[in-house]
Amino acid sequence: MEFEALLTALLCVLQLSLGIYGFNVDIGSAVVYDGPAKSEYFGYSVALHSHQNKFWVIVGAPLSNVTNALDASDTLTRYGAVYKCQYTGSKTPCKVINIDNRPVNRDLVTLNNVPNVWVDLEEKSGQWLGGTVHSTGTNGKALVQLCASRYIYRGRPPSPDQDLQYRWLLGKCFLISGDLSVTTAHREPCFLESKGNNHYGYCQAGFSAEYTVDGYDVIMGTVGVKRWKGIHFAYVCWLWDGAVAYIVSACTPDQAVGFKSWLRLCS
Ligand SMILES: *[C@@H]1O[C@H](CO)[C@@H](O)[C@H](O)[C@H]1NC(C)=O
Protein backbone atom coordinates (compact mmCIF):
# COMPACT_ATOMS: atom_id res chain seq x y z
CA MET A 1 0.00 0.00 0.00
CA GLU A 2 2.77 2.37 0.97
CA PHE A 3 4.62 1.48 -2.18
CA GLU A 4 1.55 2.30 -4.31
CA ALA A 5 1.12 5.66 -2.58
CA LEU A 6 4.79 6.44 -3.15
CA LEU A 7 4.52 5.44 -6.82
CA THR A 8 1.42 7.64 -7.30
CA ALA A 9 3.20 10.59 -5.71
CA LEU A 10 6.26 10.03 -7.90
CA LEU A 11 4.11 9.88 -11.06
CA CYS A 12 2.35 13.11 -10.06
CA VAL A 13 5.65 14.89 -9.55
CA LEU A 14 6.90 13.55 -12.90
CA GLN A 15 3.77 14.68 -14.78
CA LEU A 16 3.81 18.13 -13.18
CA SER A 17 7.48 18.63 -14.00
CA LEU A 18 7.02 17.52 -17.64
CA GLY A 19 3.85 19.58 -18.08
CA ILE A 20 0.41 18.42 -19.18
CA TYR A 21 -1.08 19.72 -22.39
CA GLY A 22 -4.64 19.54 -23.69
CA PHE A 23 -5.95 20.31 -27.17
CA ASN A 24 -9.27 20.50 -28.96
CA VAL A 25 -10.13 18.55 -32.06
CA ASP A 26 -10.28 21.09 -34.91
CA ILE A 27 -13.95 20.99 -35.84
CA GLY A 28 -13.83 24.49 -37.39
CA SER A 29 -11.84 23.47 -40.47
CA ALA A 30 -12.73 19.79 -40.61
CA VAL A 31 -13.14 18.13 -44.01
CA VAL A 32 -16.38 16.17 -44.04
CA TYR A 33 -16.98 13.27 -46.45
CA ASP A 34 -20.58 12.27 -47.12
CA GLY A 35 -21.73 8.78 -48.06
CA PRO A 36 -22.46 8.66 -51.83
CA ALA A 37 -25.80 7.45 -53.24
CA LYS A 38 -26.36 3.72 -52.74
CA SER A 39 -24.00 3.65 -49.76
CA GLU A 40 -25.16 2.34 -46.43
CA TYR A 41 -23.29 2.14 -43.11
CA PHE A 42 -20.78 4.58 -44.64
CA GLY A 43 -18.00 5.01 -42.07
CA TYR A 44 -18.42 1.63 -40.39
CA SER A 45 -14.69 1.14 -40.97
CA VAL A 46 -12.04 3.73 -41.86
CA ALA A 47 -8.33 3.71 -42.79
CA LEU A 48 -5.91 6.49 -43.71
CA HIS A 49 -3.85 5.83 -46.84
CA SER A 50 -1.28 7.62 -49.00
CA HIS A 51 0.49 6.84 -52.25
CA GLN A 52 2.89 9.07 -54.22
CA ASN A 53 1.90 12.26 -52.39
CA LYS A 54 -1.81 11.61 -52.69
CA PHE A 55 -3.79 11.18 -49.51
CA TRP A 56 -7.03 9.34 -48.97
CA VAL A 57 -9.47 8.25 -46.35
CA ILE A 58 -10.62 4.73 -47.22
CA VAL A 59 -14.17 4.26 -45.97
CA GLY A 60 -16.06 0.98 -45.72
CA ALA A 61 -19.84 0.96 -46.17
CA PRO A 62 -20.67 -2.73 -45.73
CA LEU A 63 -24.40 -2.68 -46.53
CA SER A 64 -24.11 -0.60 -49.72
CA ASN A 65 -25.77 -1.45 -53.00
CA VAL A 66 -23.39 -1.73 -55.94
CA THR A 67 -23.79 -1.11 -59.67
CA ASN A 68 -23.48 -4.35 -61.67
CA ALA A 69 -20.26 -4.23 -63.73
CA LEU A 70 -21.96 -6.19 -66.54
CA ASP A 71 -25.15 -4.09 -66.64
CA ALA A 72 -25.07 -0.49 -65.39
CA SER A 73 -28.87 -0.43 -65.05
CA ASP A 74 -28.77 -3.30 -62.54
CA THR A 75 -28.11 -2.94 -58.80
CA LEU A 76 -26.48 -5.67 -56.74
CA THR A 77 -28.16 -5.45 -53.35
CA ARG A 78 -26.20 -5.09 -50.12
CA TYR A 79 -22.88 -6.38 -51.45
CA GLY A 80 -21.04 -3.74 -49.44
CA ALA A 81 -18.64 -1.20 -50.88
CA VAL A 82 -15.43 0.61 -50.09
CA TYR A 83 -14.94 4.26 -51.03
CA LYS A 84 -11.81 6.33 -51.57
CA CYS A 85 -12.13 9.90 -50.39
CA GLN A 86 -9.16 11.96 -51.52
CA TYR A 87 -7.85 14.61 -49.17
CA THR A 88 -7.18 17.75 -51.20
CA GLY A 89 -7.82 20.27 -48.44
CA SER A 90 -11.33 20.97 -49.65
CA LYS A 91 -14.46 18.90 -49.99
CA THR A 92 -14.21 16.22 -52.71
CA PRO A 93 -16.78 13.51 -53.41
CA CYS A 94 -15.82 9.94 -52.46
CA LYS A 95 -15.52 7.41 -55.29
CA VAL A 96 -16.26 3.72 -55.07
CA ILE A 97 -13.30 1.34 -55.40
CA ASN A 98 -14.49 -1.41 -57.76
CA ILE A 99 -13.69 -4.62 -55.92
CA ASP A 100 -16.66 -6.93 -56.18
CA ASN A 101 -19.33 -5.65 -58.55
CA ARG A 102 -20.17 -8.82 -60.48
CA PRO A 103 -23.19 -11.09 -60.06
CA VAL A 104 -22.72 -14.39 -58.23
CA ASN A 105 -21.33 -17.40 -60.07
CA ARG A 106 -24.04 -19.83 -61.17
CA ASP A 107 -24.11 -23.29 -62.66
CA LEU A 108 -26.51 -25.83 -64.20
CA VAL A 109 -26.86 -28.89 -61.95
CA THR A 110 -29.13 -31.83 -61.22
CA LEU A 111 -31.04 -31.12 -58.02
CA ASN A 112 -33.57 -33.49 -56.47
CA ASN A 113 -33.30 -35.63 -59.65
CA VAL A 114 -34.29 -32.66 -61.82
CA PRO A 115 -31.62 -31.96 -64.46
CA ASN A 116 -30.51 -28.52 -65.69
CA VAL A 117 -31.48 -26.43 -62.68
CA TRP A 118 -29.65 -23.10 -62.30
CA VAL A 119 -28.19 -22.71 -58.80
CA ASP A 120 -26.11 -19.93 -57.27
CA LEU A 121 -22.68 -21.17 -56.25
CA GLU A 122 -22.17 -18.31 -53.79
CA GLU A 123 -24.01 -15.56 -51.90
CA LYS A 124 -22.76 -12.01 -51.91
CA SER A 125 -25.79 -10.07 -50.74
CA GLY A 126 -25.02 -9.41 -47.08
CA GLN A 127 -21.36 -10.33 -47.44
CA TRP A 128 -20.25 -7.15 -45.63
CA LEU A 129 -17.57 -6.10 -48.08
CA GLY A 130 -15.85 -3.16 -46.38
CA GLY A 131 -16.66 -4.38 -42.89
CA THR A 132 -12.88 -4.48 -42.39
CA VAL A 133 -10.44 -2.14 -44.16
CA HIS A 134 -6.74 -1.81 -43.44
CA SER A 135 -3.86 0.14 -44.97
CA THR A 136 -0.21 0.09 -43.99
CA GLY A 137 -0.69 3.85 -44.17
CA THR A 138 2.09 6.08 -45.36
CA ASN A 139 5.17 3.99 -46.13
CA GLY A 140 6.77 3.81 -49.58
CA LYS A 141 4.52 1.03 -50.81
CA ALA A 142 1.39 1.31 -48.75
CA LEU A 143 -0.78 -1.80 -49.06
CA VAL A 144 -4.50 -2.13 -48.59
CA GLN A 145 -6.64 -5.07 -47.54
CA LEU A 146 -10.43 -5.02 -47.73
CA CYS A 147 -12.58 -7.86 -46.41
CA ALA A 148 -16.04 -9.36 -46.75
CA SER A 149 -16.25 -11.57 -43.67
CA ARG A 150 -19.81 -12.75 -44.35
CA TYR A 151 -19.19 -13.98 -47.91
CA ILE A 152 -20.94 -17.33 -48.40
CA TYR A 153 -19.70 -20.13 -50.64
CA ARG A 154 -22.36 -22.65 -51.64
CA GLY A 155 -20.73 -24.81 -54.27
CA ARG A 156 -22.51 -27.55 -56.19
CA PRO A 157 -25.12 -29.72 -54.46
CA PRO A 158 -23.38 -32.73 -52.88
CA SER A 159 -25.91 -35.21 -54.25
CA PRO A 160 -28.04 -34.99 -57.44
CA ASP A 161 -30.94 -36.91 -55.87
CA GLN A 162 -31.38 -34.55 -52.93
CA ASP A 163 -32.62 -31.00 -52.54
CA LEU A 164 -29.53 -29.95 -50.58
CA GLN A 165 -26.96 -27.24 -51.10
CA TYR A 166 -24.66 -26.04 -48.31
CA ARG A 167 -23.98 -22.47 -47.22
CA TRP A 168 -20.42 -22.06 -45.99
CA LEU A 169 -19.74 -18.74 -44.30
CA LEU A 170 -16.12 -18.57 -45.46
CA GLY A 171 -15.43 -14.84 -45.73
CA LYS A 172 -12.68 -13.42 -47.92
CA CYS A 173 -10.33 -10.50 -48.33
CA PHE A 174 -9.06 -8.53 -51.32
CA LEU A 175 -5.61 -7.01 -51.59
CA ILE A 176 -5.61 -3.71 -53.47
CA SER A 177 -2.80 -1.88 -55.25
CA GLY A 178 -1.30 1.16 -53.53
CA ASP A 179 -2.97 3.58 -55.98
CA LEU A 180 -6.32 1.92 -55.12
CA SER A 181 -7.02 1.12 -58.79
CA VAL A 182 -6.90 -2.71 -59.00
CA THR A 183 -7.37 -5.83 -56.94
CA THR A 184 -4.05 -7.66 -56.87
CA ALA A 185 -5.08 -10.84 -55.04
CA HIS A 186 -7.83 -12.60 -53.12
CA ARG A 187 -7.33 -14.26 -49.77
CA GLU A 188 -9.80 -17.02 -49.01
CA PRO A 189 -7.93 -19.18 -46.51
CA CYS A 190 -10.75 -21.63 -45.78
CA PHE A 191 -11.84 -22.33 -49.35
CA LEU A 192 -9.73 -25.47 -49.82
CA GLU A 193 -10.21 -26.74 -46.28
CA SER A 194 -12.65 -29.31 -44.89
CA LYS A 195 -15.97 -27.61 -44.36
CA GLY A 196 -18.51 -28.40 -41.64
CA ASN A 197 -18.69 -26.67 -38.28
CA ASN A 198 -15.95 -28.84 -36.76
CA HIS A 199 -13.51 -27.59 -39.38
CA TYR A 200 -13.39 -24.51 -41.61
CA GLY A 201 -16.98 -24.16 -42.81
CA TYR A 202 -17.75 -20.98 -40.87
CA CYS A 203 -14.39 -19.18 -40.95
CA GLN A 204 -15.61 -15.62 -41.44
CA ALA A 205 -12.15 -14.78 -42.74
CA GLY A 206 -11.47 -11.08 -42.56
CA PHE A 207 -13.50 -10.45 -39.43
CA SER A 208 -10.31 -8.58 -38.63
CA ALA A 209 -7.32 -8.10 -40.95
CA GLU A 210 -3.97 -6.34 -41.07
CA TYR A 211 -0.66 -6.34 -42.88
CA THR A 212 2.48 -6.72 -40.85
CA VAL A 213 4.60 -3.57 -40.56
CA ASP A 214 6.93 -4.58 -43.41
CA GLY A 215 3.90 -5.04 -45.67
CA TYR A 216 4.72 -8.58 -46.80
CA ASP A 217 2.54 -10.60 -44.49
CA VAL A 218 -1.21 -10.64 -44.23
CA ILE A 219 -2.87 -11.64 -40.99
CA MET A 220 -6.57 -12.18 -40.67
CA GLY A 221 -8.94 -13.31 -37.97
CA THR A 222 -11.09 -16.33 -38.81
CA VAL A 223 -13.35 -16.34 -35.80
CA GLY A 224 -15.67 -19.22 -36.72
CA VAL A 225 -13.09 -21.94 -37.25
CA LYS A 226 -13.51 -25.24 -35.35
CA ARG A 227 -16.89 -24.70 -33.74
CA TRP A 228 -16.41 -20.96 -33.35
CA LYS A 229 -13.22 -21.32 -31.30
CA GLY A 230 -11.59 -19.11 -33.91
CA ILE A 231 -7.99 -18.86 -35.07
CA HIS A 232 -5.76 -16.43 -36.93
CA PHE A 233 -4.54 -17.06 -40.43
CA ALA A 234 -1.18 -15.60 -41.35
CA TYR A 235 -0.27 -15.35 -45.01
CA VAL A 236 3.48 -14.95 -44.97
CA CYS A 237 4.97 -13.83 -48.27
CA TRP A 238 8.57 -13.29 -49.19
CA LEU A 239 10.68 -12.95 -52.32
CA TRP A 240 12.59 -16.14 -52.96
CA ASP A 241 14.60 -16.76 -56.12
CA GLY A 242 12.33 -14.34 -57.94
CA ALA A 243 9.22 -16.29 -57.01
CA VAL A 244 6.87 -15.16 -54.32
CA ALA A 245 5.75 -17.84 -51.91
CA TYR A 246 3.70 -17.90 -48.78
CA ILE A 247 3.09 -20.12 -45.82
CA VAL A 248 -0.40 -20.22 -44.46
CA SER A 249 -0.27 -21.00 -40.80
CA ALA A 250 -3.12 -21.27 -38.41
CA CYS A 251 -2.32 -21.04 -34.76
CA THR A 252 -4.49 -20.93 -31.73
CA PRO A 253 -3.95 -20.47 -28.02
CA ASP A 254 -5.82 -23.74 -27.54
CA GLN A 255 -3.25 -26.29 -28.71
CA ALA A 256 -5.85 -29.07 -28.64
CA VAL A 257 -7.49 -27.43 -31.64
CA GLY A 258 -4.44 -28.13 -33.76
CA PHE A 259 -1.79 -26.31 -35.69
CA LYS A 260 -1.02 -26.48 -39.36
CA SER A 261 1.15 -24.80 -41.91
CA TRP A 262 1.93 -25.36 -45.54
CA LEU A 263 3.53 -23.74 -48.55
CA ARG A 264 1.86 -22.51 -51.73
CA LEU A 265 2.51 -20.01 -54.48
CA CYS A 266 1.29 -16.48 -53.99
CA SER A 267 -1.41 -15.48 -56.44
C1 LIG B 1 -30.57 -1.04 -51.98
O1 LIG B 1 -31.43 -1.79 -52.80
C2 LIG B 1 -32.61 -2.23 -52.13
C3 LIG B 1 -33.36 -3.15 -53.09
O2 LIG B 1 -33.52 -2.54 -54.33
C4 LIG B 1 -33.43 -1.00 -51.70
O3 LIG B 1 -34.58 -1.44 -50.99
C5 LIG B 1 -32.56 -0.13 -50.80
O4 LIG B 1 -33.25 1.05 -50.47
C6 LIG B 1 -31.25 0.22 -51.49
N1 LIG B 1 -30.39 0.93 -50.54
C7 LIG B 1 -29.68 2.01 -50.87
C8 LIG B 1 -28.87 2.61 -49.78
O5 LIG B 1 -29.66 2.50 -52.00
Side-chain angles (χ1 to χ4, degrees):
M1 210 53 203
E2 271 175 17
F3 175 73
E4 277 173 30
L6 185 68
L7 194 66
T8 311
L10 268 174
L11 282 174
C12 283
V13 171
L14 191 69
Q15 280 186 342
L16 288 174
S17 60
L18 291 176
I20 299 171
Y21 303 98
F23 64 92
N24 293 322
V25 174
D26 178 9
I27 51 171
S29 52
V31 177
V32 178
Y33 296 103
D34 295 323
K38 290 192 180 181
S39 70
E40 197 151 343
Y41 276 31
F42 181 85
Y44 182 85
S45 59
V46 180
L48 296 175
H49 178 74
S50 77
H51 179 75
Q52 293 179 348
N53 295 324
K54 284 187 178 169
F55 301 89
W56 286 277
V57 183
I58 298 174
V59 184
L63 290 179
S64 297
N65 292 342
V66 174
T67 303
N68 186 339
L70 309 179
D71 174 2
S73 67
D74 184 33
T75 292
L76 303 169
T77 315
R78 285 159 97 86
Y79 269 36
V82 182
Y83 295 89
K84 51 180 177 182
C85 309
Q86 195 174 351
Y87 178 74
T88 56
S90 60
K91 194 164 175 164
T92 351
C94 301
K95 291 181 184 152
V96 70
I97 305 175
N98 286 323
I99 307 155
D100 189 356
N101 53 358
R102 288 176 176 268
V104 293
N105 282 323
R106 310 184 76 204
D107 202 5
L108 277 173
V109 299
T110 301
L111 193 65
N112 220 5
N113 294 316
V114 181
N116 295 329
V117 180
W118 279 108
V119 294
D120 291 347
L121 300 180
E122 53 186 353
E123 261 179 54
K124 296 188 189 177
S125 183
Q127 67 179 345
W128 276 68
L129 176 61
T132 305
V133 304
H134 179 251
S135 164
T136 52
T138 54
N139 69 20
K141 62 170 195 80
L143 295 159
V144 183
Q145 185 174 193
L146 314 170
C147 301
S149 65
R150 296 188 62 81
Y151 165 79
I152 292 172
Y153 173 72
R154 302 206 67 179
R156 289 173 184 76
S159 165
D161 56 7
Q162 283 178 23
D163 189 9
L164 173 68
Q165 203 190 356
Y166 294 115
R167 298 173 78 238
W168 302 122
L169 188 62
L170 298 188
K172 62 164 129 174
C173 295
F174 301 82
L175 310 187
I176 307 292
S177 61
D179 64 1
L180 306 179
S181 65
V182 289
T183 303
T184 54
H186 300 145
R187 292 286 184 261
E188 238 181 300
C190 300
F191 184 73
L192 295 174
E193 299 303 321
S194 310
K195 307 293 191 301
N197 61 356
N198 284 335
H199 304 285
Y200 294 83
Y202 299 91
C203 270
Q204 287 195 251
F207 188 88
S208 57
E210 291 208 2
Y211 274 94
T212 50
V213 176
D214 62 10
Y216 276 117
D217 307 338
V218 166
I219 297 169
M220 61 181 77
T222 48
V223 289
V225 168
K226 311 250 179 189
R227 286 181 182 266
W228 299 276
K229 286 193 176 91
I231 58 170
H232 270 94
F233 264 89
Y235 280 67
V236 183
C237 284
W238 71 96
L239 285 169
W240 186 38
D241 278 351
V244 186
Y246 67 78
I247 294 171
V248 183
S249 63
C251 22
T252 161
D254 177 2
Q255 284 302 312
V257 173
F259 174 88
K260 62 195 300 188
S261 69
W262 62 100
L263 188 72
R264 286 182 206 153
L265 285 184
C266 263
S267 52

